[in-house]
């Protein structure tokens, strides 16, 4: 039986199965966005980002955000053949990426809106409200909300950003609705999604059939993010059915990003090679498709795809792709990761955690957020690395000073306009998505899945509950939970996999990676301390790296800084770094590693001098140049 016929039969089976059974139950229920608010260092970082690149990106790249009203008066028409899309050298005759500014604008707005409300920045909230009002004013009478004029919308036979521009924008609108309960925004999203479903009718159209497809078409598969959240908010089955339709249509067409196509996942000899950010965000459409159908073959594909991603993950949790995976496996020095990919994989793992309840995803999320994501931010300046390696020996544009001489992404910038203004917007999103996932509901229980300083204010049925989680986690591992509740309830606090012993002031039961305890009405204070030790871990068979609790540690390398670009906005610049004393080390097996005051000391052999000397390791997030594996 040939591949096309086999897939056609599979699609028919999925449609029939989806129609004949309810969607799979979800283990956890997401709390409304805004019920969890950051405190401590998390809140401080958000506030600083709003004063930095998150709050000023429109001033740093006004041509892409302010001047191009791509959802309104500058919608794309057949007459437009080129435009400035923020990547130098790509503005002329690149019709395939004319949608690009919608991604830049909406992903940036998504992070900005969420951070404004979660951090309590009233000035930023007013900016967010004004933006939402302007966007809603662009919606047509039939519900259309997107970047194409009538002569192109739903008619393009080649590369297009129809669903991608909508996915990025509608995520902003849904976030704003959850934060404010604004009915106009809610109705606008419902009308806009209905407009899509009318113009791309389910099982009677092919949204992903195109000539010479490119990134926008493939990105559009994550329109399922919008559909999945709408199903959770409305319990209307039509949204999940449509998500399954999109995944099956994507899998049968000739598209530019093929890692997620079902026949390729089920092919034992297939190796992932795509653009990393697509490959990691596409984990979510596959997840939604399985939950919509309960199909055993989709479950097999979902498990297999995750195993492939594990082989692409570095010690800090960074999924490789700089920017392409190209059939590689993770290497701490030779394979980098894109900041976009960090956010997309965190979002995908958060979805899987919510649907499966599998506690393993919590450790993967924290590994990525506390290490790779913090380690690709500049520790002092408001900028990020578009691309970063775990072992980062030089940040001068190219990967550790070698490789493609035209590469510019290995540096720190608040915009990265010479490459693409995509990673900076996603760097503004990642903390908000982490915060929303920190607490979830499990029937009549509240569950602290991801740890860190925060305040929860929510309703558990008719029970009003407030929990202040006071901690400096992950930089220390003790917690004080101050709980106020109208009625008794059950609380679950995750016990991470690195914990050796737990000391708790409140009676609890230990089960399946959680401390479960009964909480009385009124005020309760729970004091919790997790104890651990330095862990020497093996990576790629022959390399060793060190962790303490959730943090990966690195040997910082002294560097000289150079300013390679300045911006009209004071205080922002692009920076590169060269080592002043280049040296690498090899771990001396069985040498004891000691921990004191957030520092690990261990003996290692200097590759240059061949002497054994003690070296000092610090959390990856505190470094610019560094060595992680030895």
């Amino acid at each position: 039986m040939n591949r096309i016929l086999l897939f056609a039969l599979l699609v028919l089976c999925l449609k029939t199965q989806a129609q004949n059974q309810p969607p799979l139950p979800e283990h956890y229920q997401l709390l409304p966005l805004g019920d969890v608010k950051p405190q401590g260092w998390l809140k401080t970082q958000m506030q600083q980002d709003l004063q930095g690149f998150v709050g000023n990106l429109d001033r740093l790249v006004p041509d892409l955000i302010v001047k191009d009203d791509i959802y309104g008066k500058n919608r794309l028409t057949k007459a437009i053949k080129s435009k400035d899309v923020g990547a130098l050298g790509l503005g002329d005759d690149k019709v395939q990426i004319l949608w690009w500014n919608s991604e830049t604008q909406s992903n940036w707005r998504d992070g900005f809106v969420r951070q404004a409300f979660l951090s309590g920045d009233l000035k930023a909230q007013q900016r967010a409200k004004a933006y939402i009002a302007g966007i809603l004013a662009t919606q047509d009478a039939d519900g259309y909300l997107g970047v194409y004029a009538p002569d192109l919308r739903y008619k393009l036979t080649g590369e297009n950003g129809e669903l991608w521009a909508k996915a990025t924008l509608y995520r902003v609108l849904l976030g704003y609705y959850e934060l404010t309960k604004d009915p106009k925004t809610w109705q606008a999203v419902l009308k806009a999604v209905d407009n899509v479903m009318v113009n791309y009718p389910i099982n009677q159209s092919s949204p992903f059939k195109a000539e010479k497809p490119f990134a926008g078409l493939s990105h559009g598969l994550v329109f399922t993010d919008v559909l999945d959240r709408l199903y959770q908010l409305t319990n209307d089955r039509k949204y999940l059915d449509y998500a399954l339709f999109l995944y099956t249509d994507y899998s049968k067409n000739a598209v530019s990003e093929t890692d997620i196509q079902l026949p390729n996942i089920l092919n034992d000899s297939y190796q992932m090679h795509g653009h990393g950010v697509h490959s990691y965000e596409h984990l979510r459409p596959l997840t939604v498709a399985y939950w919509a159908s309960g199909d055993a073959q989709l479950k097999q594909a979902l498990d297999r795809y995750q195993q492939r991603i594990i082989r692409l993950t570095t010690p800090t949790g960074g999924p490789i792709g700089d920017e392409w995976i190209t059939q590689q496996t993770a290497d701490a020095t030779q394979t980098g990761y894109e900041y976009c990919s960090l956010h997309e994989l965190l979002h995908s793992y958060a979805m899987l955690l919510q649907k499966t309840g599998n506690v393993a995803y919590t450790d993967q999320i924290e590994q990525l957020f506390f290490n790779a994501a913090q380690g690709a931010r500049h520790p002092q300046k408001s900028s990020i690395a578009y691309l970063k390696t775990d072992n980062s020996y030089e940040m001068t544009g190219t990967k550790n000073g070698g490789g493609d001489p035209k590469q510019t992404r290995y540096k720190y910038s608040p915009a990265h306009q010479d490459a693409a203004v995509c990673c900076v917007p996603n760097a503004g999103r990642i903390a908000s998505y982490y915060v929303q996932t920190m607490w979830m509901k499990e029937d009549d229980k509240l569950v602290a899945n991801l740890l860190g300083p925060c305040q929860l204010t929510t309703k558990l049925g008719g029970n009003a509950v407030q929990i202040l989680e006071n901690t400096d986690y992950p930089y220390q591992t003790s917690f004080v939970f101050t709980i106020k509740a109208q009625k008794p309830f059950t609380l679950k606090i995750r016990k991470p996999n690195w914990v050796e012993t737990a000391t708790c002031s409140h009676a609890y039961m230990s089960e399946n990676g959680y401390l479960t305890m009964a909480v009385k009405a009124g005020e309760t204070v729970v004091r919790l301390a997790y104890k651990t030790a330095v862990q020497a871990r093996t990576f790629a068979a022959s390399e060793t790296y060190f962790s303490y609790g959730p943090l990966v540690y690195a040997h910082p390398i002294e560097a000289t800084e150079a300013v390679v670009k300045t911006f009209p906005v004071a205080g922002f610049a692009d920076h590169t770094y060269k080592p002043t004393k280049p040296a690498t080390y090899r771990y001396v097996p069985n040498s004891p590693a000691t921990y004191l005051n957030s520092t690990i000391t261990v003996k290692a052999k200097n590759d240059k001098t061949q002497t054994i000397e003690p070296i000092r390791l610090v959390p990856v997030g505190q470094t610019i140049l560094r060595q992680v594996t030895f």
Side-chain angles (χ1 to χ4, degrees), residues 16 84 207 216 251 266 281 342 367 382 517 599 607 615:
T16 303
D84 182 359
S251 282
L266 299 178
E281 72 186 7
L342 299 180
Q367 178 191 21
S382 188
M517 58 194 73
T599 301
D607 283 330
I615 59 172

Side-chain angles (χ1 to χ4, degrees), residues 8-24:
L9 291 173
L10 176 60
V11 170
L12 179 62
C13 177
L14 289 175
K15 290 177 184 176
T16 303
Q17 189 162 344
Q19 292 168 355
N20 292 336
Q21 70 176 35
L24 294 177

Side-chain angles (χ1 to χ4, degrees), residues 60 414 563-575:
L60 294 169
V563 176
V564 295
K565 179 181 178 179
T566 58
F567 291 82
V569 185
F572 293 92
D574 289 3
H575 294 86

Side-chain angles (χ1 to χ4, degrees), residues 527-557:
R527 301 181 186 277
L528 174 64
Y530 288 142
K531 293 189 178 180
T532 188
V534 176
Q535 298 291 321
R537 303 181 182 274
T538 300
F539 175 72
S542 61
E543 298 174 75
T544 300
Y545 69 98
F546 297 88
S547 65
Y548 185 87
L551 294 178
V552 173
Y553 279 66
H555 178 241
I557 299 172

Side-chain angles (χ1 to χ4, degrees), residues 566-609:
T566 58
F567 291 82
V569 185
F572 293 92
D574 289 3
H575 294 86
T576 59
Y577 293 87
K578 287 186 177 181
T580 55
K581 298 177 181 179
T584 56
Y585 291 86
R586 296 178 185 272
Y587 172 57
V588 178
N590 302 316
S591 295
T594 59
Y595 175 87
L596 181 65
N597 297 329
S598 298
T599 301
I600 294 174
T601 303
V602 66
K603 289 185 178 180
K605 179 182 284 189
N606 187 313
D607 283 330
K608 186 175 182 180
T609 65

Side-chain angles (χ1 to χ4, degrees), residues 211-285:
E211 300 170 3
K212 298 181 180 179
F214 188 60
L217 195 76
S218 291
H219 273 310
L221 182 56
V222 297
F223 191 74
T224 56
D225 288 348
V226 177
L227 299 166
D228 182 56
R229 191 57 180 148
L230 282 177
Y231 169 72
Q232 293 167 347
L233 293 170
T234 66
N235 202 35
D236 191 331
R237 171 66 183 269
K238 73 177 184 180
Y239 296 116
L240 284 191
D241 288 345
Y242 199 79
L244 178 61
F245 155 65
L246 290 181
Y247 177 72
T248 54
D249 184 65
Y250 189 91
S251 282
K252 73 181 184 183
N253 276 298
V255 291
S256 62
E257 297 296 329
T258 59
D259 286 346
I260 199 63
Q261 289 186 310
L262 188 58
N264 293 334
I265 302 174
L266 299 178
N267 180 354
D268 290 336
S269 63
Y270 183 89
Q271 293 181 287
M272 291 175 66
H273 63 267
H275 185 201
V277 65
H278 288 89
S279 300
Y280 305 122
E281 72 186 7
H282 282 171
L283 177 55
R284 298 194 299 278

